[in-house]
Amino acid sequence: MTEALEATRRTPGTPCWSSLMVHSLDTTEEFYADLFGWEYEPGPDQLGRYVRAMLDGREVAGIGELPPDRHLPVAWTTYIATDDADATAEAIRSCGGTVAVGPLDAGAAGRVAICSDPLGAIFGLWQAEAHLGTRRAGTPGTPVWNELITQDTSTVGKFYEHVFGHEARQHSTASADFDYLTLLLRGRPVAAVHGVGRSLPHDRGPHWMTYFEVEDTDAAADRVVRLGGRIVQPPRDGLSGRLATVADPEGAVFTLVHGRP
């Protein structure tokens, strides 16, 4: 059993899970079921109601319900794999980041922490045990890419290099007007950092963006609106795919993509 888990365990520093905390779990389940075809199974409930979204019987993401008295912004959180959440948390602190929650055990599933980088972008740490993270990828309805949207790449690029061992490489089209780093592990792209300067949304600040694969970006964006969500940035052609940035009915922002960025 251990060998089987190790064979599919994510390389430390790889985004491995996306999770959303909302005020109305039932309503949110319906939205994403209609949009992506997700079904749900109960997940760890140490911190309240939580479900795992499933496609073809495999986990793709998580959704939890906030306590009624917690009036927090609703946002998708990117979790980054680690083999030692406690040691990584210490590295985050020593490199100017913050550890807001944990590390703590999530039952038999693994060990978790919620952190932020020096410019305030929130992300999670996940030390896998029974739950290895997203188990289905590359098909519609699955997370396929994670990108940090921040003021500039210089400071935070070094932070992620030091904490997670990423190689931060400028994109081939990077320029004074296009500040973009690809984060690599063992030569393989695993995430990106996009510096947008003053274009950073004032109501969000630096944040990690989760990209979900869809068959048709324009049709999926229209469906988001019909289901009670909204379009933040209309469909457009990106670096290597057609993108649309949208928000669900509670305001959680994510990106639809046909063709991986």
Side-chain angles (χ1 to χ4, degrees), residues 15-240:
C16 63
W17 187 244
S18 295
S19 190
L20 176 64
M21 297 299 293
V22 299
H23 300 290
S24 175
L25 181 57
D26 295 336
T27 302
T28 301
E29 283 183 285
E30 291 178 6
F31 172 83
Y32 287 100
D34 287 342
L35 181 63
F36 292 140
W38 288 353
E39 298 178 338
Y40 302 96
E41 289 187 356
D45 59 1
Q46 285 84 356
L47 300 178
R49 291 179 65 202
Y50 189 86
V51 296
R52 289 175 180 156
M54 314 288 288
L55 274 177
D56 300 324
R58 295 189 178 186
E59 301 98 330
V60 295
I63 308 175
E65 190 166 65
L66 291 162
D69 59 343
R70 299 296 297 276
H71 303 290
L72 299 174
V74 174
W76 280 98
T77 299
T78 296
Y79 284 76
I80 301 175
T82 176
D83 284 342
D84 188 332
D86 295 81
T88 304
E90 284 302 315
I92 287 168
R93 294 187 186 98
S94 67
C95 291
T98 301
V99 180
V101 178
L104 52 83
D105 291 329
R111 194 158 171 79
V112 63
I114 303 297
C115 313
S116 60
D117 66 28
L119 294 184
I122 295 171
F123 62 93
L125 298 179
W126 183 249
Q127 179 183 330
E129 296 298 338
H131 174 56
L132 299 174
T134 301
R135 297 295 300 274
R136 185 156 181 84
T139 59
T142 62
V144 292
W145 188 243
N146 294 269
E147 184 173 290
L148 172 61
I149 313 298
T150 190
Q151 284 99 334
D152 66 83
T153 63
S154 57
T155 301
V156 290
K158 292 181 176 64
F159 170 84
Y160 289 97
E161 281 186 310
H162 288 310
V163 172
F164 294 107
H166 294 140
E167 175 194 350
R169 183 181 300 173
Q170 281 198 338
H171 193 271
S172 58
T173 59
S175 66
D177 298 320
F178 183 59
D179 185 13
Y180 195 92
L181 294 177
T182 302
L183 300 179
L184 301 97
L185 287 173
R186 303 174 184 173
R188 182 175 68 88
V190 296
V193 183
H194 188 186
V196 298
R198 294 182 178 178
S199 297
L200 191 71
H202 295 297
D203 59 340
R204 298 200 65 200
H207 59 276
W208 277 91
M209 177 74 73
T210 303
Y211 287 65
F212 291 95
E213 178 73 29
V214 293
E215 291 182 353
D216 183 321
T217 301
D218 297 70
D222 288 342
R223 189 166 184 81
V224 165
V225 174
R226 291 200 303 273
L227 294 171
R230 63 184 174 88
I231 294 176
V232 178
Q233 290 181 288
R236 63 208 184 273
D237 293 325
L239 293 175
S240 58

